[in-house]
Amino acid sequence: MRRTLLAGVSGLALAASGALAVPTVTSAAAVGYPVVHPAVADYSQVSTGTTPPTPAQCASAGRRCFSPQGIRAAYNLGPLYANGFDGRGQTIAIFDSYGSDTMAHDLHVFDQAFGVNAMCGEEGVACQPGMPTFSELHVQGDPGTTAPPSTSRGTGQESKAAWALEVALDVETAHAMAPGANILLVSTPTAETLGVQGLPALMNAEQYVVDHHLANVISQSFASAEGAFASSQSIEPLRHAFKSAALNGVTVLGSSGDNGTAGSVKTPVKSGGSSLPYPSVEWPASDPLVTGVGGTFLCTDPGATAGRTVDSTDNPAACRTNAGAAEVGWSGSGGGFSQVFDKPGYQSALPAGSTAIGAKRGVPDVALQASPGTGALVYLSLPPDGSSGLKCGATPCSTGWYDIGGTSLSCPQWAGLVSIADQINGGGLGQINPALYKLATDPAAYAADFDDVTLGNNTTDPTVPGYSATTGWDPITGLGTPNAAKLLPDLVSAAHAG
């Protein structure tokens, strides 16, 4: 693990805004930075071309693939859309390394394929009044994802093509959940690793978005084990954007991770790493100022568009072995108890039957679909010469449709939900955790607003104990998954009630 000084970090030039500088964060303390990675647990290329794969193609890959319509039905968004609540007028800021040179094109293919509202900023779309916008903000220059040499993996820290897949996942699924919301894709030119070239740059970019009121919601589909930092004190200088967001009505969400309770330290980056010998949670989801988003197996019929219909017949095995369950806690869902942050006041009261939260922050707060076996379809373009660096088994991946899972999937979709709540509210709600837990402690509201997930376990390393899902809050799915049509209006009311 590299140790470095954060003092004297220079401001960041934002390419999309001229020579605007992001405020510098300074500290005299030595800070160690871990490897941070996109929380994409697993992906499979299911088909090529621009036509989405059939259910049979997904089944042949051992997967249950969800379209936007299937996801919307599972989480009851239809009544919100029918009343004009789709996130319009709000902006979701998505933060990823590198960006993707083909995102405007890929978004258009995705929207055309599934009949999702077009966005101003998509390739080939004529902008119309009232249309949501897709825009990009490149920190320190344009992304470098165009056909690198076959031996190149960017910095040697992360595959740039893996981040392009992450970008497509974040943008397409957030837009599908909140088709009226604007999306601002903010990219940095390096992986979120190692000192001034990584996490500080990313957090400074988030600070810029907050300071300039560019978004209501921030989605972070990346995570690193708390124990991978040099010390708990080394996290504190990175929290400035979250503190500002809380004061400016901006909601910050973070993926809880894809390794269950297993954490890792990777030092140096190119030489592998080591596992932490104790149950771990990941930052930034563990931050009390962030809404941590865990994951589930979504065991519903992906072809059912009128409402939530349980499907205990199709893949994966977790759905077949838990007959009658609409959702099961995903084994990879990051969760547990922080070793850095004390239990926040909003977690002092929990629904009856919850896993107890002791003196430290419990993670996650909420959940949504994340298992790769019940993932979402995403469209991605890759260089035709096979030099993207992204592998599908033993062969290079190509342009087409991917089925993807991980808390990288649950987080941007939850960002879409929050943007709809912001529209209902008439502006940003800011930190939503106090309102979420307030609703959950009212038995009637909890039963109406959340789908309580009581099955599953997040042990991924047999040497590191995991947790079992329970009634109420648990360290796999938090308070559970949303009944959106009920939860989002109630969330706004609870936020105003204080």
Side-chain angles (χ1 to χ4, degrees):
M1 179 182 302
R2 176 177 172 182
R3 295 176 63 85
T4 186
L5 293 178
L6 195 59
V9 179
S10 62
L12 303 180
L14 295 171
S17 307
L20 298 175
V22 177
T24 298
V25 180
T26 60
S27 170
V31 181
Y33 293 95
V35 165
V36 182
H37 46 79
V40 174
D42 182 67
Y43 61 89
S44 176
Q45 184 171 1
V46 185
S47 66
T48 58
T50 58
T51 301
T54 65
Q57 287 175 296
C58 291
S60 67
R63 306 211 174 211
R64 179 187 309 206
C65 303
F66 280 85
S67 68
Q69 289 75 16
I71 297 167
R72 293 167 175 176
Y75 294 111
N76 194 26
L77 277 94
L80 293 168
Y81 298 153
N83 288 318
F85 296 120
D86 59 3
R88 67 187 63 177
Q90 314 307 310
T91 300
I92 303 166
I94 292 170
F95 288 80
D96 283 311
S97 286
Y98 305 128
S100 171
D101 300 312
T102 63
M103 192 62 251
H105 168 77
D106 296 347
L107 179 62
H108 185 58
V109 173
F110 178 88
D111 287 348
Q112 290 283 101
F114 289 123
V116 180
N117 294 3
M119 303 187 78
C120 175
E122 281 183 27
E123 182 180 271
V125 171
C127 297
Q128 302 293 332
M131 181 180 287
T133 61
F134 168 69
S135 56
E136 302 184 50
L137 183 63
H138 302 306
V139 176
Q140 294 180 322
D142 291 330
T145 59
T146 305
S150 60
T151 57
S152 172
R153 291 296 181 97
T155 61
Q157 299 162 1
E158 295 281 354
S159 166
K160 291 186 176 182
W163 279 98
L165 186 62
E166 173 67 54
V167 172
L169 170 64
D170 290 349
V171 171
E172 292 170 16
T173 60
H175 175 50
M177 192 68 86
N182 306 314
I183 292 180
L184 174 65
L185 171 62
V186 185
S187 60
T188 56
T190 56
E192 288 87 10
T193 55
L194 302 178
V196 299
Q197 297 302 314
L199 280 169
L202 187 74
M203 294 299 108
N204 283 355
E206 292 192 13
Q207 184 74 56
Y208 181 88
V209 167
V210 173
D211 288 346
H212 291 81
H213 310 291
L214 301 181
N216 307 90
V217 189
I218 287 175
S219 178
Q220 303 171 114
S221 286
F222 51 83
S224 179
E226 287 180 341
F229 290 83
S231 67
S232 59
Q233 291 77 20
S234 66
I235 296 178
E236 185 60 31
L238 299 172
R239 303 181 66 222
H240 56 95
F242 304 158
K243 296 175 183 179
S244 295
L247 295 173
N248 284 274
V250 178
T251 304
V252 183
L253 301 104
S255 300
S256 70
D258 297 343
N259 299 301
T261 57
S264 64
V265 178
K266 200 170 184 181
T267 174
V269 171
K270 291 185 178 180
S271 301
S274 59
S275 298
L276 297 170
Y278 51 82
S280 302
V281 295
E282 303 205 344
W283 186 87
S286 67
D287 199 298
L289 297 175
V290 173
T291 300
V293 185
T296 69
F297 294 91
L298 180 57
C299 302
T300 62
D301 180 358
T305 58
R308 172 174 276 215
T309 303
V310 175
D311 177 357
S312 303
T313 302
D314 294 325
N315 288 315
C319 295
R320 297 196 302 268
T321 57
N322 291 282
E327 290 184 86
V328 176
W330 177 46
S331 52
S333 179
F337 302 94
S338 174
Q339 296 196 3
V340 175
F341 300 103
D342 292 337
K343 178 172 68 177
Y346 56 75
Q347 289 190 320
S348 60
L350 299 172
S354 294
T355 301
I357 298 178
K360 292 295 186 179
R361 157 90 157 125
V363 184
D365 300 298
V366 291
L368 209 83
Q369 74 176 125
S371 164
T374 61
L377 289 169
V378 169
Y379 182 82
L380 175 67
S381 296
L382 289 172
D385 57 5
S387 64
S388 70
L390 197 64
K391 294 288 187 180
C392 289
T395 61
C397 299
S398 61
T399 294
W401 290 93
Y402 291 76
D403 185 64
I404 307 178
T407 52
S408 274
L409 170 58
S410 53
C411 185
Q413 291 189 109
W414 250 100
L417 294 175
V418 174
S419 75
I420 295 173
D422 286 346
Q423 181 193 354
I424 296 170
N425 182 55
L429 287 168
Q431 191 183 17
I432 62 172
N433 289 356
L436 288 170
Y437 284 88
K438 180 178 181 180
L439 288 171
T441 54
D442 178 332
Y446 185 54
D449 294 346
F450 291 90
D451 291 302
D452 188 11
V453 182
T454 61
L455 300 169
N457 184 283
N458 67 346
T459 301
T460 56
D461 182 339
T463 68
V464 180
Y467 301 95
S468 293
T470 63
T471 299
W473 184 90
D474 60 66
I476 308 175
T477 64
L479 296 170
T481 61
N483 179 341
K486 298 288 188 181
L487 174 60
L488 301 188
D490 286 353
L491 180 64
V492 173
S493 297
H496 282 280

